[in-house]
């Protein structure tokens, strides 16, 4: 079993964090070696293809949601609530989705503020889907698709707020 499936199903399979980071675990391509994904992320950031705002805000969404769920683990018997943010990061396809799928320039938000909201939503939704739905242990792709539907709304809201600011400055 993959580490994410083992954790969500309470299986007696144990993987170390380092094994998950280096990729010495079973799983699909793109969900095993977080180290290779981070190397790819650095290439995307250096070349300017990937948005650091989307990557960082997705991590912030993951961290804040996992901290919230860690607090709720005292009142829940769900083993996924106990996972830390760094464990979520190296399990499953979170890192791959954050680096290579969420930063797609065509379907993600186009404004900088919109990218922050877009990434936060992805991090929040992916962690929530992973932890709450035992039948669907991954959740990253669903979170990205959900955020893609909201990306135009984020951009529209940002543009409208800029228009209102400019109109109010001209009226003074």
């Amino acid at each position: 079993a993959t580490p994410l499936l083992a954790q969500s199903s309470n299986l007696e399979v144990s993987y170390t964090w380092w094994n998950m980071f280096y990729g010495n675990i079973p799983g699909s391509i793109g969900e095993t070696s977080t180290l290779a994904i981070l190397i790819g992320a650095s290439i995307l950031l250096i070349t300017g293809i990937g948005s650091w705002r989307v990557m960082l805000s997705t991590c912030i969404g993951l961290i804040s949601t996992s901290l919230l769920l860690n607090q709720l683990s005292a009142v829940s018997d769900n083993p996924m609530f106990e996972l830390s943010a760094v464990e979520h990061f190296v399990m499953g396809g979170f890192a791959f989705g954050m680096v290579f799928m969420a930063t797609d320039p065509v379907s993600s938000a186009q404004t900088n503020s919109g990218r922050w909201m877009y990434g936060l939503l992805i991090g929040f939704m992916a962690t929530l889907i992973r932890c709450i739905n035992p039948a669907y242990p991954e959740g990253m792709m669903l979170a990205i698709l959900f955020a893609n539907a909201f990306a135009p709304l984020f951009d529209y809201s940002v543009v409208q707020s800029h228009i209102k600011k400019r109109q109010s400055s001209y009226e003074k």
Side-chain angles (χ1 to χ4, degrees):
T2 63
L4 196 58
L5 181 62
Q7 180 69 24
S8 66
S9 303
N10 275 335
L11 298 178
E12 293 298 323
V13 180
S14 177
Y15 299 102
T16 66
W17 187 87
W18 288 106
N19 281 340
M20 291 185 285
F21 181 75
Y22 289 128
N24 299 327
I25 55 170
S28 301
I29 189 165
E31 72 173 281
T32 54
S33 179
T34 307
L35 175 63
I37 293 167
L38 291 177
I39 292 169
S42 63
I43 292 169
L44 289 178
L45 292 173
I46 289 169
T47 58
I49 296 170
S51 170
W52 65 269
R53 289 173 181 86
V54 172
M55 290 184 206
L56 181 60
S57 61
T58 303
C59 283
I60 292 169
L62 165 74
I63 292 167
S64 59
T65 308
S66 66
L67 287 173
L68 173 68
L69 293 175
N70 288 161
Q71 298 301 314
L72 295 175
S73 69
V75 295
S76 174
D77 59 350
N78 187 340
M80 294 296 287
F81 282 23
E82 298 171 3
L83 287 177
S84 67
V86 292
E87 289 172 312
H88 275 290
F89 189 76
V90 297
M91 281 184 167
F94 187 87
F96 186 83
M98 176 192 73
V99 171
F100 297 109
M101 293 190 293
T103 60
D104 175 40
V106 175
S107 58
S108 69
Q110 302 299 311
T111 60
N112 287 337
S113 298
R115 288 182 180 132
W116 284 104
M117 293 182 276
Y118 174 77
L120 285 170
L121 181 62
I122 290 172
F124 170 76
M125 289 295 297
T127 310
L128 199 63
I129 293 167
R130 277 182 169 191
C131 293
I132 291 185
N133 189 354
Y136 193 60
E138 180 51 68
M140 189 61 178
M141 185 52 132
L142 182 59
I144 292 170
L145 288 172
F146 189 75
N148 284 345
F150 280 91
L153 179 64
F154 294 149
D155 288 335
Y156 177 80
S157 300
V158 169
V159 170
Q160 290 303 312
S161 70
H162 288 294
I163 289 172
K164 286 180 183 177
K165 282 182 190 175
R166 288 182 181 163
Q167 284 177 341
S168 66
S169 66
Y170 287 128
E171 293 172 358
K172 292 179 182 181

